[in-house]
Amino acid sequence: MSTFAVGDEDFLLDGRPVRLLSGALHYFRVREEQWEHRLGMLRAMGLNCVETYVPWNLHEPEPGRYADVAALGRFLDAVARAGMWAIVRPGPYICAEWENGGLPHWLTGPLGRRVRSFDPEFLAPVEAWFRRLLPQVVERQIDRGGPVVLVQVENEYGSYGSDRAYLEWLAELLRGCGVAVPLFTSDGPEDHMLTGGSVPGVLATANFGSGAREGFATLRRHQPSGPLMCMEFWCGWFDHWGTEHAVRDAADAAEALREILECGASVNVYMAHGGTNFGGFAGANRAGELHDGPLRATVTSYDYDAPVDEAGRPTEKFWRFREVLAAYAEGPLPEVPEPPACLL
């Protein structure tokens, strides 16, 4: 068994400094029979960790009626077999360009804006859901021989509100359910976001696609010590119906990744492999810089211009990232897996 902790400057594995080189891969956007291949692709790119959200609305479509909640545990088992660590982001709100941000409609319909707040009518179903979901995370924590090293409190809450009582209650709930690994929050590198989304005693991380030095400087003003981490390094973007496929230059993205690592920080590539929004679960977003424009639906594909494309193939961005990440690997990177059988 191992221990994983937040040190003054680094993450500590059994007391030894370690850097998380993570990539986002959502188990619910990838067919289960393809998990092993996609995890192999992430390892071959140079990653040692994988991050996933958990969509509440997928697993509890009606109050008290659950649908394959155990899928998360099976995915974490696949992560362990791949020799990687895991970061779990259970929400309850996840955004993720997913339908209703992962919140069930049977809850948001009656409550409206009272969701994501310290309102008893919201807290009660959240607690019931977490007590159903989290045992499979707890039993797969690193101190129990599993891969889970970090668990998130809410999701980019500083972009939404500033209800400190709600965030503290949620952190206490996670601990009360048995989560012993470090907790963290993630927000944009802006003062109001970090102020509204942070929890005292919980590691704060930042989300951005470029400007690592500036982003981490802002984070340091709010958190003078502790490991630096970009929890969402946006290497691409999602698409709306009626617009062209969003593409980010591979060389530009690789240089932005290099800058993060040169800062001594850990990183989570969002997305390392996007997958697909199955079953009509693609969400919608308001366009415009202030997210105050018209509501636009996200397409079925969640390719995200990720280094591993929607079909599981390496892109130019994959090879550029692999070159950057290889410098931080403890040994030679694994061979790139053969293409999925459906592509042979």
Side-chain angles (χ1 to χ4, degrees):
M1 308 301 175
S2 297
T3 62
F4 190 86
V6 170
D8 292 337
E9 297 181 354
D10 303 286
F11 291 114
L12 302 174
L13 178 67
D14 296 330
R16 174 178 60 88
V18 67
R19 189 195 302 248
L20 295 180
L21 304 174
S22 180
L25 190 164
H26 301 155
Y27 67 94
F28 50 93
R29 282 178 160 136
V30 180
R31 296 297 187 193
E32 186 165 349
E33 60 270 21
Q34 297 172 335
W35 288 347
E36 181 179 358
H37 175 267
R38 302 305 195 265
L39 290 167
M41 291 294 293
L42 267 57
R43 281 208 67 197
M45 192 169 70
L47 302 179
N48 58 23
C49 184
V50 63
E51 170 267 308
T52 186
Y53 281 122
V54 181
W56 182 4
N57 55 0
L58 180 68
H59 295 302
E60 192 178 4
E62 297 175 6
R65 181 172 73 83
Y66 298 100
D68 197 18
V69 179
L72 173 62
R74 297 196 303 273
F75 177 71
L76 294 175
D77 290 341
V79 172
R81 291 193 299 271
M84 303 178 77
W85 295 311
I87 298 170
V88 180
R89 305 168 81 183
Y93 175 82
I94 64 171
C95 183
E97 294 74 58
W98 187 258
E99 171 66 19
N100 212 33
L103 295 175
H105 283 283
W106 53 260
L107 182 60
T108 59
L111 293 185
R113 295 189 178 185
R114 293 159 58 197
V115 301
R116 303 182 76 190
S117 75
F118 194 64
D119 186 301
E121 291 190 51
F122 179 65
L123 303 184
V126 170
E127 180 171 0
W129 163 236
F130 271 21
R131 293 198 180 279
R132 179 66 179 254
L133 171 73
L134 290 175
Q136 61 188 317
V137 177
V138 169
E139 65 190 29
R140 292 172 174 85
Q141 295 178 114
I142 195 167
D143 60 342
R144 301 194 185 191
V148 179
V149 293
L150 291 173
V151 173
Q152 182 172 270
V153 180
E154 243 279 349
N155 184 69
E156 294 185 313
Y157 191 75
S159 297
Y160 173 79
S162 57
D163 191 334
R164 177 65 58 81
Y166 164 58
L167 293 181
E168 292 180 341
W169 175 88
L170 197 58
E172 291 176 5
L173 175 61
L174 290 165
R175 292 295 187 213
C177 288
V179 175
V181 296
L183 302 177
F184 71 93
T185 57
S186 65
D187 289 282
E190 298 186 29
D191 290 320
H192 74 281
M193 294 179 182
L194 289 164
T195 299
S198 299
V199 180
V202 173
L203 179 71
T205 65
N207 301 339
F208 51 79
S210 60
R213 291 179 176 84
E214 294 82 357
F216 287 139
T218 303
L219 179 59
R220 273 288 178 247
R221 291 201 299 270
H222 292 260
Q223 185 171 262
S225 64
L228 293 172
M229 183 162 188
C230 178
M231 189 54 66
E232 291 187 14
F233 164 52
W234 303 317
C235 64
W237 207 245
F238 53 92
D239 298 326
H240 291 128
W241 287 105
T243 62
E244 293 185 3
H245 177 44
V247 175
R248 180 175 184 179
D249 179 74
D252 173 69
E255 284 307 306
L257 174 60
R258 191 189 306 276
E259 182 182 356
I260 292 171
L261 299 177
E262 288 176 347
C263 290
S266 292
V267 67
N268 179 52
V269 176
Y270 193 99
M271 298 289 298
H273 170 58
T276 305
N277 294 311
F278 300 109
F281 272 101
N285 307 81
R286 292 199 178 278
E289 292 186 3
L290 300 177
H291 302 289
D292 56 356
L295 193 66
R296 291 182 175 175
T298 308
V299 301
T300 302
S301 170
Y302 201 64
D303 178 82
Y304 211 87
D305 194 34
V308 180
D309 74 8
E310 185 177 14
R313 299 167 297 195
T315 65
E316 180 188 356
K317 194 174 292 179
F318 174 94
W319 299 111
R320 297 274 189 150
F321 281 17
R322 179 178 160 97
E323 180 180 347
V324 172
L325 293 164
Y328 297 88
E330 295 184 357
L333 296 182
E335 294 294 324
V336 178
E338 292 294 324
C342 63
L343 297 178
L344 293 177

